[in-house]
Amino acid sequence: PCNLTGWWENDLGSKMQVFKVGNDGNFFGEYHTAVSSTKNPIQPSPLIGSQHLDEDGQHTFGFTVNWKKFSDSTAVFVGQCFNGDDGKEVLHTSWLLREKVNSEPDDWRATR
């Protein structure tokens, strides 16, 4: 079965470390993004999530990253872990990023 524990890297060079997945599927770790629109120095950011554990091992999961150390934004990721034909585990994810805006009329541009 797919195991989220450990280091993962995406095609943009961002890295995620999941420290441990509990028996209930809950996990936490750090996200080390390689991309940012803020001018502040990028820092590792905490993540917390949950994985749906099932029999075939190709689990779905979701997690939230709080960029509080260098930005006023939060991101959520959802995805699935696949066991490839070559035996490697691969994560496929989608994400939403919510940036802070100063007024409700600017809400339309706050989520990517």
Side-chain angles (χ1 to χ4, degrees), residues 4 18 20-22 24-29 46-52 61-65 77:
L4 288 181
V18 175
K20 180 182 177 186
V21 178
D24 57 0
N26 293 331
F27 61 90
F28 65 97
L47 70 83
I48 187 164
S50 184
Q51 182 178 18
H52 179 82
F61 60 89
F63 61 91
T64 301
V65 179
F77 293 76

Side-chain angles (χ1 to χ4, degrees), residues 93-109:
T93 62
S94 296
W95 56 270
L96 289 172
L97 175 76
R98 176 64 188 217
E99 295 179 303
K100 181 181 172 184
V101 292
N102 293 323
S103 66
E104 187 176 358
D106 289 333
D107 184 65
W108 67 271
R109 65 181 181 93

